Every structure is written in structure tokens, then in C-alpha cells.
Amino acid sequence: AHLPALNVTGAKAPVVRVLDEAGREVLYSLRIPASGFRPPVFAPGKYTLRVSDPETGKAKELKGVAAPSGAAASLTVSL
């Protein structure tokens, strides 16, 4: 499964951390291109996405994100 595509503005190479809300464990952290990234997940459920820019210290957290059913969805994050 995949979570909605992320489009990040205000950072050249943001870091995305994906956490499983059921177990509160970090699944992975990646530096992504700001142009877009669709986070893969290993099982259906709700996830927390932490998007940050290490160069500026800015960060946003999105809770309760789930894989979309049907058409692909996207989320825009402004740092």
C-alpha cells in the first residue's frame, strides 16, 4: 500500500519520517525530493508523517494518514 503523495514546499530536500500509529514505532525516515514522494507502507492502517527541513529546523506533523482507496490522493506540506 502507499500513503497519499506528498508535495513539500519551502524545503529543497525535506526528511519524511513514517510512524505506525498502532505501535508508535518508526517505520523509516528518508530524505526526499521536494517535487514529490508517495510513501510506501507495509500494512493498512493509520500513520503519522513528520516532514522536516533539517537545514532550517522547520517541521510539520500529519496524524491519521491512511492509504487512499481508489484514486490517488495527495497532500501538500508547507514548511
Side-chain angles (χ1 to χ4, degrees):
H2 284 83
L3 298 178
L6 288 175
N7 298 307
V8 181
T9 61
K12 291 182 182 178
V15 173
V16 172
R17 178 172 288 174
V18 179
L19 297 98
D20 180 357
E21 289 188 3
R24 292 302 301 167
E25 63 183 307
V26 175
L27 298 180
Y28 59 87
S29 297
L30 290 175
R31 200 173 265 271
I32 65 165
S35 60
F37 173 69
R38 190 156 184 214
V41 291
F42 309 108
K46 294 196 177 195
Y47 296 86
T48 296
L49 301 176
R50 290 185 184 151
V51 182
S52 63
D53 182 359
E55 282 73 28
T56 64
K58 294 180 182 179
K60 292 230 174 145
E61 186 170 88
L62 306 169
K63 294 184 177 187
V65 180
S69 59
S74 65
L75 298 168
T76 299
V77 178
S78 297
L79 295 177

